[in-house]
Amino acid sequence: MTLNYFFTRKLSFVKEAHAFALFAGGFGTMDEAFEVLTLMQTGKARIVPIVLLDRPREKYWETWMQFLTERLLKFGFISEEDFAFFKIKHSVQDAARGDHAFYKVFHSARWVGERFVIRLNRSLSNEALVDLNNHFTDILRRARLSKRVALPKENDELETLDLPRLIFIPIRGRLAASSAD
């Protein structure tokens, strides 16, 4: 696909992708990496796997990570939790395993008012729901995670109506970092 404008490339890149694999590159690579991380961090884009792929024994992304740690984290511009949005890998096989594991249960998510709706590929057991509620109490603003069916405002997404869901009201600032784990 040929795109005449860089902003349309980035829009397509973020809107249509279900995972990102970024390789060593220049300004465009950095721009795309920071674009998707910023949108996920602020809740403006869905959370998807991001893999930063280095060749074996190369350290392009480790050097980038060192900059993030020594400059952005140290000066309080990002938080430790923001590092959960991406993984650095050195083989395509490791990267693919991470994406497969991410989508084993998770299908997609969206906001419906103040509620966060996570659509699942399969229903969770009651024991798993109890574990999630115990583990993620720090991000819940009200009540608990609950298993539900589609909310009426989700009727515009016919392809997901039959999927099981987890629905909860989070503390927005804490949701992104916890959900990327």
Side-chain angles (χ1 to χ4, degrees):
M1 174 187 311
T2 302
L3 299 166
N4 291 330
Y5 301 101
F6 197 66
F7 76 89
T8 55
R9 173 187 151 92
K10 284 193 339 183
L11 175 66
S12 298
F13 175 74
V14 173
K15 183 179 180 303
E16 300 301 328
H18 294 276
F20 298 97
L22 297 167
F23 301 85
F27 290 136
T29 299
M30 291 294 113
D31 183 51
E32 290 172 341
F34 283 118
E35 176 87 11
V36 71
L37 287 169
T38 300
L39 291 172
M40 285 174 40
Q41 179 199 45
T42 58
K44 304 298 182 195
R46 67 184 178 271
I47 306 244
V48 298
I50 299 175
V51 176
L52 309 175
L53 196 58
D54 264 337
R55 290 184 175 146
R57 296 176 298 285
E58 290 193 7
K59 300 201 178 289
Y60 179 88
W61 292 112
E62 279 88 355
T63 303
W64 179 78
M65 178 75 165
Q66 184 179 353
F67 165 75
L68 294 181
T69 303
E70 293 175 2
R71 298 291 182 226
L72 302 182
L73 179 64
K74 181 180 177 182
F75 296 118
F77 298 127
I78 63 172
S79 67
E80 186 74 36
E81 294 82 18
D82 293 328
F83 293 119
F85 284 117
F86 58 88
K87 305 285 184 231
I88 298 172
K89 299 292 182 179
H90 291 275
S91 78
V92 173
Q93 293 80 10
D94 284 347
R97 275 192 291 276
D99 287 355
H100 176 73
F102 185 89
Y103 285 109
K104 189 174 183 180
V105 177
F106 177 83
H107 180 278
S108 57
R110 73 174 277 189
W111 288 96
V112 177
E114 65 180 353
R115 293 179 284 192
F116 193 65
V117 178
I118 300 174
R119 279 94 51 120
L120 306 171
N121 287 316
R122 62 178 172 83
S123 186
L124 296 179
S125 68
N126 290 333
E127 295 79 24
L129 182 62
V130 168
D131 287 345
L132 288 172
N133 274 305
N134 290 333
H135 184 73
F136 290 106
T137 57
D138 62 321
I139 66 167
L140 299 176
R141 185 160 47 98
R142 255 192 269 152
R144 301 177 64 71
L145 290 122
S146 61
K147 294 194 291 187
R148 304 269 305 267
V149 297
L151 297 172
K153 287 189 177 182
E154 293 182 275
N155 289 337
D156 61 339
E157 296 183 52
L158 298 176
E159 69 278 3
T160 66
L161 281 179
D162 294 332
L163 294 175
R165 285 155 167 71
L166 290 178
I167 299 177
F168 60 102
I169 300 172
I171 300 169
R172 277 192 181 233
R174 295 184 186 162
L175 175 64
S178 293
S179 59
D181 288 340

